[in-house]
């Protein structure tokens, strides 16, 4: 029989604590909510009232239930109020000495059988536990932000936590409607160990002006389906908290440079730019604590007129290639009203591409997304050709041929001879340096990367890759074209992986390393990212879909270009690829797909 928890204490009512109070009170458990001062108690109370009022307004909570929920909370200053609770969860700032002091005090105040839990994200639960005389009753209960919404709880057991305590806490999580993964005490546990290197890298992209905050966030939301971009997430977490987590992970997690907090984070913390809680972080919010972003001096002007500023008129587009990407891109341009010339290496290939475009457009008609007239008009806009000479008078060329530098360079050299002056020459490469392709022409200022995502007709994102030679006019034209296609174009520099792959693949690689180290299982790691961070797929699900060979190739490129030791491909990934376990396409990757 699991232990009954009738009353719990929550210490610290900031970003996490106030949400944790709500989780317990919603589930019929009495809460003693403790802060250091009356003012801090009031802030915590205001957070809870705000959150429950919003739930009532949205019809998700009855007024009577809200009143009952609020009545379950006893607001107090000081730890002495916790003398008779069954369990305490501590959610004070991420400092070991502070947490140890609080645990020593809790040990003195709380009844002997009470369980003492910490919500720490990165500190050692073991080190916190030894500040008490009952380390076997100390455990980590790591909620995710926002606590009332996110389903995951990481239950962290130390080498001395008693098995009964673990079982009791697991049963409690179930009662709260949460999914728990139980793991041992390691810096960052599962989710943060995989998340924070990515967040820090995103901040460094912003700090080095590689891309704007809006573009970094849009890239990860639209390119990977994440619920929010990394910089918006840093604001939600709180920059002070994020700094402490990174700092601890750097020191505890083997001094991986990717966890050394980017200097900008410390500067922002010192300047009081803590994120949502202070009303300003990477973005500016309506008021402290509000989730509503308001425009500030960094907000880009995105009106049509501003976008078109300096852009060249584009009506006729040449698309070179006959693979999946070329096919999708032809459809995208034709549907958007452009006159398209498709160039392949022969009539047979053209016929195949034409068939594929027709099939895809027909699917749109069957699904009611496209009228028959629009389908016919789109097809009518495409001319099928097998010779590059037909591209002499187009305004834009999009190259989507095989991912081999020599092939692309030869093609660009030919385009340079054939195309009229002023044409924008774009490559869809996902891994080659755009500048190499640009320098194969006499007009590198007109060359740019347009990195579409697969499937191009569906994915809303295009990375616009500027080289150090790309002109402002070329860039403006690319942005205007993306807008006319109904895509979100994000602008970035010409580095390996651009934005999305550079941020995504090291995270996937880290997940493989975590599995390889036997810290957790593929299932639990997938759960942690889906239920703790709202990712649409877990890392192993995604790796099997993308293909392990493709993932390994991208990771190798990143490692070779950036020379970041932490980017070295996980040996397990290499072994699986060598063994022919490539993911769904070969029937087996991290999981066996032949049985499903
Ligand atoms: N922010 C996140 O997204 C997130 C997610 C999961 C876990 N965590 C962890 O939760 C913990 C709290 O983080 P946060 O982001 O809520 O921090 P926060 O700064 O928003 O809130 C901390 C609160 O603790 C209070 N406090 C400080 N000293 C206290 C004391 N002696 N007694 C009582 N209250 C005290 C502060 O007044 C403040 O209100 C940290 O360990 C953090 O790593 C944070």
């Amino acid at each position: 029989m699991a232990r009954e928890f009738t009353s719990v204490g929550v210490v610290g009512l900031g970003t996490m604590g106030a949400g944790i109070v709500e989780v317990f009170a919603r589930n019929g458990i009495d809460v003693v909510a403790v802060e250091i001062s009356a003012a801090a108690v009031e802030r915590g109370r205001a957070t809870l009232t705000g959150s429950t009022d919003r739930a009532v307004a949205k019809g998700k909570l009855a007024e009577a239930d809200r009143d009952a929920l609020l009545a379950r909370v006893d607001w107090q200053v000081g730890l002495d109020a916790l003398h008779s609770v069954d369990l305490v969860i501590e959610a004070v700032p991420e400092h070991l000495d502070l947490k140890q002091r609080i645990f020593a005090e809790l040990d003195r105040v709380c009844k002997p059988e009470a369980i003492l839990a910490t919500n720490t994200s990165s500190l050692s639960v073991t080190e916190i536990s030894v500040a008490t005389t009952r380390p076997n009753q100390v455990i980590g209960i790591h909620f995710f932000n926002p606590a009332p919404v996110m389903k995951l709880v990481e239950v962290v057991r130390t080498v001395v936590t008693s098995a009964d305590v673990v079982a009791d806490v697991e049963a409690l999580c179930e009662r709260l409607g949460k999914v728990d993964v139980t793991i041992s005490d390691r810096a960052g546990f599962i989710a943060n160990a995989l998340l924070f290197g990515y967040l820090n890298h995103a901040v460094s992209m912003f700090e080095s002006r590689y891309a704007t905050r809006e573009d970094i966030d849009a890239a990860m939301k639209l390119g990977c389906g994440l619920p929010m971009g990394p910089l918006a997430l840093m604001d939600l977490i709180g920059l002070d908290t994020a700094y402490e987590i990174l700092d601890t992970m750097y020191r505890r997690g083997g001094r991986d440079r990717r966890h050394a907090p980017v200097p900008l984070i410390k500067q922002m913390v010192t300047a009081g730019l803590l994120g949502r809680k202070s009303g300003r972080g990477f973005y500016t919010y309506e008021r402290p604590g509000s989730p509503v972003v308001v425009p500030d001096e960094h907000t880009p002007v995105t009106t049509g007129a501003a976008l078109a500023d300096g852009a060249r008129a584009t009506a006729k587009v040449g698309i070179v290639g006959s693979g999946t990407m070329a096919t999708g891109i032809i459809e995208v341009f034709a549907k958007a009203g452009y006159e398209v010339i498709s160039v392949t290496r022969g009539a047979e290939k053209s016929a195949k591409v034409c068939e594929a475009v027709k099939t895809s457009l027909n699917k749109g008609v069957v699904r009611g997304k496209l009228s028959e007239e629009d389908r016919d008009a789109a097809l009518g806009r495409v001319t099928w050709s097998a010779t590059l000479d037909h591209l002499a008078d187009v305004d834009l060329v999009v190259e989507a041929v095989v991912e081999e530098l020599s092939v692309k360079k030869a093609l660009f050299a030919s385009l340079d001879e054939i195309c009229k002056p002023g044409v924008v020459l774009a490559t869809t490469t996902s891994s080659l340096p755009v500048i190499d392709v640009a320098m194969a022409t006499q007009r590198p200022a007109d060359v740019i990367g347009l990195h579409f995502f697969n499937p191009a007709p569906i994915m809303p994102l295009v990375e616009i890759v500027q080289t150090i030679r790309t002109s402002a006019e070329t860039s403006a034209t690319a942005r205007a074209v993306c807008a006319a296609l109904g895509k979100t174009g994000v602008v970035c520099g010409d580095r390996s992986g651009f934005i999305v792959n550079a941020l995504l693949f090291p995270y996937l690689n880290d997940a493989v390393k975590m599995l390889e180290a036997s810290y957790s299982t593929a299932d639990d790691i997938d759960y942690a990212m889906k239920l703790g961070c709202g990712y649409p797929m877990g890392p192993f699900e995604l790796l099997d879909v993308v293909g392990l060979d493709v993932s390994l190739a991208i990771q190798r490129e990143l490692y070779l270009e950036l020379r970041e030791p932490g980017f070295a491909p996980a040996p397990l990934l290499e072994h699986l690829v060598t063994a022919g376990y490539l993911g769904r396409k070969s029937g087996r990757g991290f999981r066996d797909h032949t049985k499903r």
Side-chain angles (χ1 to χ4, degrees), residues 11-17 34-36 40 43 79 90-95 98-99 101-102 118-123 142-145 192 236-238 240-241 245 277:
V11 182
L13 307 173
T15 308
M16 289 311 290
V34 168
E35 260 288 353
I36 25 173
R43 264 202 317 275
L79 301 177
E90 160 280 311
V92 305
E94 191 77 342
H95 296 292
L98 172 64
K99 291 194 193 261
R101 251 188 292 128
I102 287 182
T118 172
N119 184 50
T120 182
S121 309
S122 56
L123 295 168
H142 184 231
F143 285 87
F144 286 77
N145 189 0
N192 284 348
L236 174 68
I237 291 169
D240 49 347
T241 302
I245 294 174
K277 61 182 160 190

Side-chain angles (χ1 to χ4, degrees), residues 426-470:
T427 170
T428 56
T429 181
S430 38
S431 61
L432 302 168
V434 178
I435 189 67
D436 276 339
V437 178
M439 295 313 286
T441 73
Q442 304 297 315
R443 42 175 127 179
D446 296 336
V447 179
I448 198 159
L450 280 181
H451 184 225
F452 286 81
F453 287 72
N454 189 18
I458 292 171
M459 296 297 283
L461 183 73
V462 178
E463 286 174 318
I464 301 174
V465 186
Q466 299 180 148
T467 75
I468 45 169
R469 299 286 298 265
T470 306

Side-chain angles (χ1 to χ4, degrees), residues 59-347:
K60 288 186 176 167
L61 187 68
E63 265 185 53
D65 290 340
R66 179 211 33 213
D67 296 345
L69 186 164
L70 295 177
R72 275 182 212 118
V73 187
D74 175 14
W75 305 94
Q76 295 287 344
V77 174
L79 301 177
D80 287 340
L82 299 168
H83 50 79
S84 52
V85 298
D86 305 313
L87 163 81
V88 180
I89 299 198
E90 160 280 311
V92 305
E94 191 77 342
H95 296 292
L96 182 62
D97 51 346
L98 172 64
K99 291 194 193 261
Q100 283 182 324
R101 251 188 292 128
I102 287 182
F103 271 72
E105 188 65 12
L106 288 172
D107 189 32
R108 195 183 55 75
V109 168
C110 294
K111 54 189 189 187
E113 65 273 26
I115 294 175
L116 307 181
T118 172
N119 184 50
T120 182
S121 309
S122 56
L123 295 168
S124 160
V125 179
T126 316
E127 280 183 65
I128 295 171
S129 77
V130 294
T132 74
T133 58
R134 53 177 113 177
N136 59 331
Q137 283 163 243
V138 175
I139 192 164
I141 304 184
H142 184 231
F143 285 87
F144 286 77
N145 189 0
V149 180
M150 301 314 285
K151 279 245 164 263
L152 185 77
V153 174
E154 288 173 325
V155 174
V156 186
R157 96 179 137 223
T158 71
V159 285
V160 286
T161 312
S162 90
D164 289 353
V165 168
V166 175
D168 290 343
V169 167
E170 287 173 341
L172 175 65
C173 290
E174 200 178 327
R175 176 173 167 199
L176 299 175
K178 301 288 184 193
V179 174
D180 79 271
V181 293
T182 302
I183 42 186
S184 59
D185 187 15
R186 196 175 107 163
F189 316 128
I190 298 178
N192 284 348
L194 297 181
L195 188 67
F196 271 83
Y198 148 71
L199 293 178
N200 205 34
H201 189 184
V203 176
S204 82
M205 280 184 175
F206 173 75
E207 186 188 47
S208 63
R209 297 172 195 248
Y210 179 65
T212 64
R213 61 182 186 188
E214 283 82 4
D215 281 0
I216 294 170
D217 280 352
M220 296 314 286
K221 268 167 66 177
L222 303 178
C224 303
L226 305 188
M228 63 199 322
L231 302 177
L233 180 54
M234 286 288 288
D235 276 359
L236 174 68
I237 291 169
L239 270 76
D240 49 347
T241 302
Y243 177 86
E244 295 302 334
I245 294 174
L246 280 165
D247 188 50
T248 311
M249 289 194 32
Y250 175 74
R251 283 185 281 107
R252 282 187 71 204
R255 301 195 178 257
D256 183 340
R257 283 203 327 232
R258 292 178 304 153
H259 291 136
V262 168
L264 178 66
I265 302 175
K266 186 61 181 273
Q267 290 161 29
M268 289 174 75
V269 172
T270 309
L273 309 177
L274 305 183
R276 274 193 200 181
K277 61 182 160 190
S278 70
R280 184 148 189 178
F282 289 101
Y283 296 91
T284 303
Y285 298 85
E286 211 173 30
R287 64 190 130 67
S290 163
V292 181
V293 173
V294 294
D296 58 22
E297 67 275 23
H298 301 300
T299 306
V301 191
T302 48
T303 63
L307 257 179
D309 235 11
R312 295 180 203 147
T314 309
K316 207 169 177 184
V317 180
I319 295 161
V320 187
S322 51
T324 316
M325 289 316 287
T327 308
I329 294 167
I330 292 169
E331 178 180 337
V332 168
F333 275 95
K335 274 204 294 207
Y338 288 89
E339 195 183 327
V340 176
I341 302 180
S342 152
V343 180
T344 71
R345 279 170 301 156

Side-chain angles (χ1 to χ4, degrees), residues 489-510:
V490 295
V491 179
C492 63
D494 185 19
R495 266 196 235 156
S496 179
F498 310 136
I499 300 174
V500 174
N501 287 354
L503 291 177
L504 177 67
F505 283 88
Y507 143 75
L508 296 176
N509 193 49
D510 284 346

